[in-house]
Amino acid sequence: MIDVKDLHKSFGDTEVLKGINEHVNRGEKVVVIGPSGSGKSTFLRCLNLLETPTSGEIVFDGVSMTDPKTDINKMRQKMGMVFQHFNLFNNLNIMDNMTLAPVRTKLMTKAQAQEEAIMLLKRVGLEDKAYAYPAQLSGGQKQRIAIVRGLAMHPEVMLFDEPTSALDPEMVGEVLEVMRKLADDGMTMVVVTHEMGFAREVANRVLFMDAGEVIEQGTPEEIFGNPQNPRTQSFLSKVL
């Protein structure tokens, strides 16, 4: 579904991604782990061109995202994105947050989008918050809404950029539970996270990144049970 070819990204003189070659298959759950500053979030943000690669190519569903002729907004409609800090519109209530994109892009009528929003909010146990504003919600509630807001566009893949790192520890579980259900439903997912338990439980494949490169990858059993690279071993010995 996603093919990444020789991806480089620099900010000024700093090379953050150093020639990544990766793929994500349909239905796969790929979890990206590694130390802070290793390029994980930049890699994720390059997948939907929130960051423009310095060089290399990203192909999504057979279409080159990096080709200037590609309608990037049309492609992004197929890629849901969940951010560390929720990125809800604080001046809109939850219903309007949920329905804005599907109505704006003419994916649905307002009535259809509202019906869909209620169904999605029920899925995460927050239908009673449909007309609340983000400021009235806890961090865990906001992030659950951010996830279902992404789902409202019927994406083919969901990208998660450290979705639990801004949350109080006791709220992390409720967000990971929603993500687990999504994984069980067969959603293609790429997740950057520090939650090793989630990576071990949900991933089909774990990528370990360090200094802008994918140093090692494999199944959760391989990466957590028997890492081969000394850098992976050192990192996991500190976080597990």
Side-chain angles (χ1 to χ4, degrees):
M1 182 188 260
I2 303 175
D3 219 2
V4 178
K5 303 172 185 177
D6 197 26
L7 176 65
H8 289 259
K9 175 65 183 175
S10 297
F11 295 101
D13 294 334
T14 309
E15 192 177 23
V16 178
L17 299 178
K18 301 171 182 171
I20 293 181
N21 292 288
E22 266 312 324
H23 64 277
V24 179
N25 296 323
R26 194 171 292 278
E28 199 175 21
K29 286 84 184 135
V30 176
V31 176
V32 187
I33 63 170
S36 293
S38 57
K40 305 183 301 292
S41 289
T42 303
F43 169 64
L44 190 80
R45 291 168 70 87
C46 282
L47 294 182
N48 65 357
L49 261 63
L50 281 179
E51 295 290 356
T52 308
T54 305
S55 65
E57 187 179 24
I58 294 164
V59 179
F60 176 67
D61 258 356
V63 177
S64 175
M65 300 277 286
T66 35
D67 183 338
K69 296 194 284 290
T70 299
D71 180 347
I72 193 66
N73 289 329
K74 200 160 183 54
M75 296 305 291
R76 279 196 190 124
Q77 288 176 29
K78 302 178 184 182
M79 305 172 98
M81 177 97 182
V82 178
F83 300 89
Q84 192 174 347
H85 293 289
F86 332 125
N87 288 21
L88 296 174
F89 297 109
N90 289 323
N91 58 327
L92 300 179
N93 66 31
I94 298 312
M95 177 60 79
D96 290 342
N97 261 286
M98 297 277 297
T99 57
L100 181 68
V103 173
R104 251 322 148 78
T105 57
K106 301 194 166 45
L107 187 68
M108 303 173 201
T109 64
K110 189 158 189 189
Q112 286 169 328
Q114 287 178 332
E115 195 178 325
E116 174 92 351
I118 291 294
M119 191 182 76
L120 286 166
L121 288 169
K122 276 186 181 154
R123 231 173 117 171
V124 292
L126 291 172
E127 66 270 33
D128 59 328
K129 302 293 185 194
Y131 294 97
Y133 282 82
Q136 298 168 293
L137 305 179
S138 72
Q141 289 171 329
K142 285 185 215 178
Q143 196 58 295
R144 277 146 62 197
I145 283 162
I147 293 172
V148 290
R149 178 180 66 170
L151 293 178
M153 290 295 290
H154 297 173
E156 292 176 28
V157 58
M158 286 288 282
L159 309 175
F160 294 86
D161 187 8
E162 299 195 16
T164 57
S165 61
L167 299 177
D168 291 338
E170 59 192 347
M171 291 173 186
V172 168
E174 63 192 56
V175 172
L176 292 180
E177 187 52 38
V178 173
M179 292 169 67
R180 276 192 199 98
K181 284 184 183 147
L182 204 51
D184 290 344
D185 291 344
M187 174 61 78
T188 308
M189 295 163 69
V190 185
V191 184
V192 169
T193 186
H194 292 293
E195 298 292 333
M196 299 300 144
F198 176 81
R200 186 176 250 164
E201 200 180 315
V202 173
N204 305 115
R205 198 153 52 90
V206 177
L207 309 183
F208 174 73
M209 281 185 73
D210 188 39
E213 297 177 281
V214 176
I215 303 282
E216 187 169 355
Q217 62 171 291
T219 63
E221 293 74 23
E222 289 165 344
I223 295 294
F224 293 109
N226 188 23
Q228 300 299 304
N229 188 291
R231 184 68 190 92
T232 318
Q233 293 164 359
S234 159
F235 174 78
L236 290 174
S237 72
K238 293 187 181 83
V239 297
L240 291 180

